[in-house]
Amino acid sequence: MTRKFPMNKEKDSTAAFFFLFLYTASTLIRPHEMFQTSVEWIVIKVFAIITFFLVLIAQRPLKLYPQHWMLLALLPLIVMSGFLNGSGMFGIEEAKMLLISAIIPLFLMSVCITTIKRQHILMVICLIAALLMVHNGHVQQTAYEGFGWALNTHSVGYIDLGERRITYLGFFNDPNDLGMFLVMNLPFVIYFYKKGGWVLKLAMLATLCALGYGIYLTGSRGSMLGAGGLLGIYILVVNAGPKLFISSVLLAPIAATVVASLQSSIDASASGRLEAWYAGIQMLIHNPIFGIGKGQFFDHHGLVAHNSYIHVAGELGVPGYSLWGGALIFTVLTGYLFIKASKLKKDTETAEGETVNDDNSNKAFENERLLNKTLFFSLIGFMITGFFISRMFTLLLFIFLGMAIASHIRMIKLKPEYQEYFNASLAIRSMGYCWIVIVAVYISLKLGL
């Protein structure tokens, strides 16, 4: 499941990363959309195309990893599902969108971020974007009719009743997307706090407060649960053994369904969410092979699923969800296994009196270990928030997946023995592990929760 392109002599293209940097900044900060004269410019597409061709020309070696193959396999499945459900051209269009807005960015991120310094640069871009979003949201709280300083951005909700859920430019015009991004940035803040001196620590404390304030202003319950869930998962990963952690993962979907059920008695939105979850599972049961077709959930139910996992399962059936969920779970599981393996190695070396950071190689590994842990928690942030909103193909997911894969590749270069945690066998098993979420939610719903 891993294939090398021809000419695998190592080359590291600075130009390709430079345009990847511009692509990331224009996607997240979206400066061209802040001015009326440039709002229609297609700079994001231009930077993506240039980066892609520079990678093909100047980056070596190029490899396709299991996550790439899983997502590529979704393309013909989406097309076939579209034809079988009477919307063949729509299926082709959906497959094209997935290739352009998900698979290609994932590939570029995973092959271009070849050094820790490059990873740091993109993490800083993420934090700058997050702070701009929060500041724009703060302005929306007091401005006339809720408008922020970013062009045409305004808060949403019942403004007359004091509800002002903040938004930003582009696909961040939904408070839930903005909140998800802020949650996924929380581990970045903790990472830089641990790495820096007192000035950087103070800056990161201020940034942490700002992100928390921003999450509150989004009014997104999923984002708030994501922030709280990150803390709980951190305690489990750092302090609990593998058995307790795995047990918690198995019970988490049931607990989340119980929370939604308890809210449903007082909240029509939560009640509708449970109905959408049940409808999605019924779609899966009645169309297990090809689902109802990508992009068709709303047409069948009248609402989106408000759950990324059930949404994919209902639209793409067993094979489609296995591929999508397998790519996500494989990346997260690899990150977790790296965390546990590196912790065991560090504890062993310390017990034997060896010095962990006594040379450049060990320092590089220690840095990669911390980065891997950081990106692991960022993806956990997506998994939690994604349980309450339908954002299965959001660009945010594939940007962060690409960063995590790049970190795994760098770790394996430093410690080749870690290859056992990043192989086709584990990828295939992950395609089965991802069904834990669907089964747990189904059991909870059938029990009347």
Side-chain angles (χ1 to χ4, degrees):
M1 293 187 69
T2 300
R3 178 172 296 179
K4 294 184 179 181
F5 286 78
M7 298 173 59
N8 58 2
K9 181 180 179 181
E10 287 202 13
K11 293 182 183 178
D12 204 1
S13 174
T14 303
F17 177 75
F18 174 72
F19 280 97
L20 180 68
F21 162 80
L22 294 178
Y23 168 77
T24 306
S26 59
T27 298
L28 300 179
I29 300 176
R30 313 187 80 83
H32 58 289
E33 294 181 359
M34 295 180 182
F35 307 98
Q36 192 66 52
T37 56
S38 58
V39 69
E40 299 294 333
W41 291 2
I42 56 171
V43 294
I44 296 177
K45 292 181 180 178
V46 170
F47 291 147
I49 292 170
I50 294 174
T51 306
F52 183 70
F53 280 106
L54 286 174
V55 165
L56 294 182
I57 294 169
Q59 191 80 20
R60 293 293 183 274
L62 297 181
K63 297 181 181 179
L64 291 181
Y65 292 93
Q67 295 94 327
H68 301 137
W69 288 113
M70 289 177 183
L71 294 171
L72 283 171
L74 274 178
L75 299 179
L77 191 149
I78 290 171
V79 173
M80 180 66 69
S81 177
F83 276 104
L84 292 177
N85 287 284
S87 54
M89 295 308 298
F90 186 73
I92 293 174
E93 185 65 25
E94 288 289 321
K96 184 181 74 173
M97 288 176 57
L98 178 65
L99 176 65
I100 295 172
S101 63
I103 298 175
I104 290 178
L106 171 70
F107 174 72
L108 296 178
M109 289 284 173
S110 59
V111 301
C112 283
I113 310 176
T114 53
T115 66
I116 291 175
K117 183 178 180 180
R118 290 184 176 186
Q119 181 66 74
H120 285 173
I121 291 172
L122 296 190
M123 290 167 70
V124 170
I125 289 296
C126 290
L127 290 177
I128 291 174
L131 290 174
L132 289 173
M133 293 175 193
V134 173
H135 186 265
N136 183 66
H138 174 72
V139 173
Q140 291 173 0
Q141 297 301 295
T142 55
Y144 178 67
E145 293 187 347
F147 280 90
W149 52 258
L151 183 66
N152 296 329
T153 60
H154 58 86
S155 57
V156 297
Y158 300 102
I159 296 179
D160 294 339
L161 301 178
E163 183 184 18
R164 295 195 174 197
R165 302 181 65 194
I166 65 173
T167 63
Y168 190 63
L169 299 164
F171 63 90
F172 296 109
N173 62 355
D174 187 308
N176 294 311
D177 293 273
L178 201 160
M180 172 182 280
F181 180 61
L182 297 181
V183 169
M184 295 175 77
N185 272 278
L186 291 175
F188 288 4
V189 177
I190 303 303
Y191 173 84
F192 285 119
Y193 176 86
K194 290 182 178 180
K195 294 287 293 180
W198 67 271
V199 174
L200 186 58
K201 288 184 184 296
L202 287 176
M204 288 301 104
L205 284 175
T207 302
L208 184 63
C209 293
L211 296 190
Y213 174 60
I215 291 170
Y216 169 74
L217 293 182
T218 64
S220 171
R221 287 171 292 186
S223 298
M224 294 178 190
L225 285 170
L230 271 182
L231 178 61
I233 296 294
Y234 176 80
I235 294 172
L236 282 173
V237 170
V238 172
N239 299 313
K243 291 183 179 180
L244 179 58
F245 175 74
I246 293 172
S247 300
S248 301
V249 170
L250 294 175
L251 294 173
I254 297 177
T257 308
V258 170
V259 170
S261 177
L262 293 175
Q263 289 180 333
S264 66
S265 60
I266 57 175
D267 188 336
S269 174
S271 178
R273 182 179 291 114
L274 288 177
E275 292 176 4
W277 293 1
Y278 187 77
I281 291 177
Q282 291 303 308
M283 294 174 194
L284 171 65
I285 292 173
H286 291 97
N287 304 274
I289 306 302
F290 291 105
I292 61 171
K294 187 175 183 296
Q296 299 297 313
F297 197 105
F298 183 86
D299 291 339
H300 279 70
H301 180 63
L303 294 171
V304 295
H306 293 288
N307 183 301
S308 298
Y309 310 93
I310 291 176
H311 201 122
V312 175
E315 288 192 343
L316 298 180
V318 174
Y321 177 75
S322 297
L323 292 168
W324 177 86
L328 174 61
I329 296 301
F330 175 56
T331 308
V332 173
L333 183 57
T334 297
Y336 173 73
L337 293 174
F338 279 5
I339 291 171
K340 285 303 178 184
S342 58
K343 185 177 185 298
L344 178 62
K345 178 178 176 63
K346 185 176 180 180
D347 292 344
T348 302
E349 290 177 342
T350 302
E352 293 176 354
E354 298 179 18
T355 304
V356 176
N357 294 320
D358 58 352
D359 55 40
N360 290 334
S361 176
N362 283 327
K363 287 181 180 179
F365 176 75
E366 181 65 14
N367 286 332
E368 287 294 355
R369 185 185 71 83
L370 293 174
L371 270 176
N372 169 67
K373 182 186 289 188
T374 299
L375 292 164
F376 166 81
F377 284 113
S378 289
L379 289 177
I380 290 294
F382 168 83
M383 291 185 67
I384 299 173
T385 55
F387 192 87
F388 299 97
I389 58 175
S390 292
R391 293 298 183 271
M392 47 282 165
F393 299 111
T394 175
L395 180 57
L396 290 180
L397 169 61
F398 299 99
I399 288 176
F400 280 78
L401 273 178
M403 291 181 181
I405 295 170
S407 176
H408 298 163
I409 295 169
R410 296 194 303 267
M411 285 194 74
I412 291 172
K413 285 184 178 180
L414 293 171
K415 301 291 181 182
E417 62 270 23
Y418 279 30
Q419 183 69 52
E420 66 175 299
Y421 305 123
F422 192 64
N423 54 49
S425 175
L426 183 60
I428 292 172
R429 295 202 303 274
S430 297
M431 293 172 66
Y433 297 153
C434 68
W435 284 94
I436 292 172
V437 177
I438 304 298
V439 172
V441 172
Y442 179 70
I443 291 174
S444 300
L445 291 173
K446 289 298 287 184
L447 292 176
L449 295 175

